[in-house]
Amino acid sequence: MSQAEAQPGGRGNSTDHVRRHNLAVVLGLVHRSQGISRSQLTKLTGLNRSTVAALVGELVERRLVLEVDADVRNQVGRPSPVVKPGPLAVAIAINPEIDAITIAVVGLGGEVLKRIRYATGHEPTAREAVNICAAVIEGLRGELETSHRVVGIGLAIPGLVRSLDGVVRLAPHLGWVDEPVAEMLAEATGYSVVAGNDARLGTLAESTFGAGRDLTDFIYLNGGASGIGGGVIAGGQALTGAAGYAGELGHTLVNSQGIVCHCGGIGCLETEVSRSPLLALVGLTDADADELENALLASESADVRAEVHRQLDFLGVALRNAINTLNPEAVLLGGFLGSLYAVAPAHLNALVAHQPLRASREGVTIGRAALGSNLLMIGAAELAFGAVLADPAAF
Ligand SMILES: [Zn+2]
């Protein structure tokens, strides 16, 4: 932000415009940092101290942030108050998958306040998913409306979503084609609804709050019940491609002798690396990401270990291609891919370390997405918070 933009310079509408813009800048910094001192805000915005104090005061009045006394230990001089996200504004985040629908209440700063997993036992139709979400939200409504204000609903969809109106163009594992899910859910709940691709929202969350927050170039790959999705941050920006569908690393070729994928291709990463054989080997039929990981880590079965290594070998092929194409500083693994890595980290590290093009892989670290099983909830909530973050004065 330039100084000219930041300083109130005009009158009437333009002063108001500058104030609203500055409110958004300050709230954005508090949101992303999850808590920041007033003196840091002054430094980062380039605004003077009294302007920052007034902006924070207005955000406190709107209950979007709260100010707490700084921890005075290890401080020299007068401590600056710490500005934190306030508890009033919440988003409802939803992720439908083939066997369950997860619904969460998320506060500013990416704080997951409540998470409910509703097992469906089968692929829900769009109508079923909307009905289940509406019923769960109805059950929460009393609590939500006494203690919070709901800014809206964010949907993380395992498929291709038209961002303009939240129509799910294709969610192959759910069998949804051209379903106006955002509109249906808005009608059923009375809240505004925004929808996006799950992996892209995971990348956004990881980049805003997680293991990617200090990285400008990374690949994120998430494994869920509905396959493998990905996203790429390149030069600090999300790589979108011409129509917004970049990052479909789950459908890159890893085995030319492999089976046919639902996308029509042969030997895609997500046909070779998938959750269901892992669940079967540890004797689970239905489990969330944490339960599956605990079962994999606890297992001493040779069959489990062999399957984990087989899947990591194919993941290594995909990573070799992606690393040589994108030259990232890190690869972040989420969902069951993070669990595979947790079971045998040395196996995957060795595959990446021994790929032939040394210059590309040098310095690449493999890591786990930091936001764990809350990742998609936080990403979906980011969508719903978009309007408040862009113009807090309208809240
Ligand atoms: Zn495919």
Side-chain angles (χ1 to χ4, degrees), residues 85 123 239 310 345 366 382:
E123 298 86 348
L239 189 74
R310 188 193 70 80
I366 311 278
E382 280 298 282

Side-chain angles (χ1 to χ4, degrees), residues 149 365 394:
R149 242 172 84 189
T365 57

